[in-house]
Amino acid sequence: MSNQRAANDVLSIAYVERQLFARGPHVAAEPSLDRITKAMELLGVPQRDYRCVHLTGTNGKTSTARLVEAILAESGAHTGRFTSPHLTSITERITIGEQVIDVPGFVSAYTAVTESARQLDAALPDKLSFFEMTVAMAYQAFREAAIDVAVVEVGMGGQWDATNVIDADVALILPVALDHTEYLGTTTAAIASEKAGIIKPGGVAVSARQSPEVARVLKARAAAVGARIFVAEEDFFLHERQVVDNGQRITVRGLHDTYSDVLLTLRGQHQAENAACAVAAAELVLGHALDTHAVRSALARVTSPGRFDVRPGTPTVILDAAHNPHGARALAATLREGSPCRTFAVVAAMADKHVEGMLRALEPAVDVIVCTRNSSPRSLSPADLAWFARQVFGAQRVHLAPTVETAIGLAKRFAAPARHGCVQSALVLVTGSVVTVGDAMRVVPAPAPSAESTDLSP
């Protein structure tokens, strides 16, 4: 009976996923919240039943959402989280109580939203999109689970993103850089203006450290709508940071208290800064100082799959979903902190991304690059990617492979210890897209739960 039930669950998820993707992308010709607003009204506005931290920014949204979620959960809140895109299973987009929603819950949310969608599809010129459906499903699932606080990641932009149908208690804006320029604007100020749309009248906002032009836009938006804004390195601070074998130790001076000598298992300066933002956001949504033990427990256990995701072995494999120059720079900086003797990168990127900028950001930290393609039809071909790579790395450092799996195999052979005389500090890096990392996860096993953290230092 259990095997039959499992088979039915797989069939249900496969069917639901096909139906959702058949609705098309979440980028409409004319930006509007009308469809998602009407859908939520038909569902009884479930997004009003819980508090919310709403996150936007160019990079770091998923990791920071996980950090906020963990801190709130350790503080006693019953949480829900919505993030996108997913890595290997569509159910990853919705979590309840820090656990990926189960199949019956996911199918139930889809069924509830589909009833509303049928009415709207018949009445409106444009049907609900894939993304609008998944947002509505998440908000419905959160109500069904009677959560206290939702942690919601914007899909793209902010002002016109379907998630913005919620009036969040705290808007959290992570670093803003150039990405999705065809939709959001060609300057960081223009992109910041779109992302600032999640700051609501009379609300509260938290901002990461930003460039001066972005900071001006965010502060102007807050002033225009009568919102309070708290800014990293002005109102709250990352005081200390020390790289250790199993991550980094940080001290954060929040808005209500200082949290000292906290182990953060996520690696990199950018993740330490994300953690400081998460602390400030959690303090604001709860309205008081956090319990230091809760902060320490949360940050010591939080993971972010596909974000400097270390898979132990010989060689060690690191999966990172960096997909724009800003993310690639953070990745390169984190790699250099580990000081591997050589790094062999597998890269597959989408054709609409700033590929050359990503490669130039990675080059100082990468010795050899294997160009491939991922499973998305939007993927740049290995030959086209290699053309860009040769401009940056030179021909001798560039190789091609037809798939992510074969590229990982080739990179592992290059990283064999006999070739360069070191074992533990030779790395294979897989990066360029969330889809690329998702493909790699099907090839490179995750460490066992009891596995010790890998030391990346020489």
Side-chain angles (χ1 to χ4, degrees):
M1 181 66 71
S2 60
N3 289 340
Q4 182 62 49
R5 186 180 297 114
N8 289 340
D9 286 347
V10 171
L11 289 174
S12 297
I13 285 294
Y15 173 79
V16 169
E17 189 166 14
R18 284 196 303 272
Q19 294 301 307
L20 288 171
F21 276 111
R23 288 180 165 273
H26 67 273
V27 179
E30 293 294 331
S32 171
L33 294 180
D34 289 348
R35 290 181 304 279
I36 186 66
T37 298
K38 288 180 169 62
M40 302 314 291
E41 289 170 351
L42 289 173
L43 290 167
V45 289
Q47 74 276 23
R48 295 181 184 171
D49 288 357
Y50 35 81
R51 289 168 288 164
C52 177
V53 177
H54 198 187
L55 301 92
T56 190
T58 301
N59 293 300
K61 296 186 292 296
T62 297
S63 293
T64 310
R66 286 173 168 270
L67 289 162
V68 173
E69 174 191 43
I71 293 170
L72 293 175
E74 289 288 347
S75 301
H78 184 37
T79 59
R81 172 170 53 84
F82 176 75
T83 55
S84 63
H86 60 273
L87 288 163
T88 60
S89 170
I90 195 170
T91 58
E92 297 167 19
R93 293 171 179 248
I94 303 172
T95 68
I96 306 293
E98 298 188 277
Q99 299 298 314
V100 173
I101 191 170
D102 61 20
V103 170
F106 190 84
V107 173
S108 175
Y110 171 76
T111 301
V113 173
T114 298
E115 293 302 315
S116 300
R118 287 197 185 108
Q119 298 180 50
L120 293 175
D121 290 348
L124 299 175
D126 296 313
K127 64 183 181 181
L128 284 176
S129 69
F130 163 82
F131 190 71
E132 288 167 330
M133 286 287 292
T134 57
V135 169
M137 288 169 59
Y139 290 167
Q140 173 71 10
F142 293 162
R143 178 172 63 184
E144 290 297 318
I147 68 163
D148 302 314
V149 187
V151 183
V152 176
E153 173 187 335
V154 160
M156 184 175 67
Q159 179 178 5
W160 300 112
D161 189 79
T163 60
N164 203 29
V165 73
I166 202 165
D167 286 328
D169 298 75
V170 179
L172 174 49
I173 299 93
L174 294 158
V176 175
L178 294 176
D179 199 15
H180 298 297
T181 53
E182 66 274 35
Y183 301 111
L184 303 179
T186 57
T187 66
T188 54
I191 293 171
S193 181
E194 286 293 319
K195 294 183 183 296
I198 72 167
I199 303 175
K200 299 298 178 65
V204 178
V206 172
S207 173
R209 188 163 50 94
Q210 308 282 2
S211 65
E213 59 271 20
V214 169
R216 283 193 293 270
V217 170
L218 299 182
K219 289 179 178 179
R221 165 68 181 183
V225 299
R228 294 178 295 155
I229 185 167
F230 299 92
V231 180
E233 305 309 314
E234 294 181 18
D235 303 297
F236 61 95
F237 303 85
L238 174 64
H239 259 325
E240 297 175 2
R241 173 177 176 265
Q242 179 185 7
V243 177
V244 295
D245 289 350
N246 52 349
Q248 50 190 321
R249 290 198 169 273
I250 63 173
T251 294
V252 174
R253 195 182 99 192
L255 299 168
H256 290 286
D257 203 352
T258 297
Y259 311 93
S260 302
D261 193 30
V262 176
L263 173 65
L264 173 64
T265 51
L266 304 183
R267 301 173 189 268
Q269 172 78 27
H270 62 297
Q271 295 288 23
E273 294 178 357
N274 289 342
C277 290
V279 165
E283 287 180 322
L284 286 168
V285 77
L286 294 177
H288 54 71
L290 305 170
D291 179 78
T292 299
H293 175 76
V295 175
R296 286 179 173 157
S297 180
L299 270 56
R301 66 171 174 78
V302 73
T303 62
S304 191
R307 282 77 182 176
F308 212 85
D309 185 348
V310 180
R311 304 296 173 99
T314 304
T316 296
V317 178
I318 295 175
L319 311 179
D320 194 279
H323 56 276
N324 53 48
H326 183 267
R329 283 193 292 273
L331 170 57
T334 307
L335 280 169
R336 288 194 295 269
E337 286 187 344
S339 301
C341 72
R342 298 194 78 189
T343 297
F344 303 84
V346 171
V347 179
M350 300 304 185
D352 59 351
K353 294 298 181 179
H354 184 5
V355 173
E356 185 175 350
M358 281 194 283
L359 296 175
R360 291 197 181 281
L362 289 173
E363 191 275 335
V366 169
D367 296 278
V368 173
I369 180 171
V370 182
C371 299
T372 188
R373 70 177 308 139
N374 60 44
S375 57
S376 169
R378 294 172 46 221
S379 181
L380 194 64
S381 73
D384 288 343
L385 179 58
W387 184 89
F388 285 107
R390 291 186 190 104
Q391 315 309 307
V392 176
F393 288 81
Q396 296 302 312
R397 296 164 63 191
V398 178
H399 301 266
L400 282 75
T403 66
V404 169
E405 182 175 6
T406 56
I408 290 172
L410 181 58
K412 283 185 172 182
R413 290 196 293 276
F414 288 148
R419 288 182 176 269
H420 46 76
C422 57
V423 181
Q424 293 300 331
S425 55
L427 301 178
V428 170
L429 168 69
V430 183
T431 190
S433 167
V434 172
V435 177
T436 304
V437 168
D439 292 346
M441 284 181 164
R442 298 177 177 92
V443 179
V444 183
S450 59
E452 294 295 326
S453 298
T454 299
D455 182 1
L456 298 184
S457 60

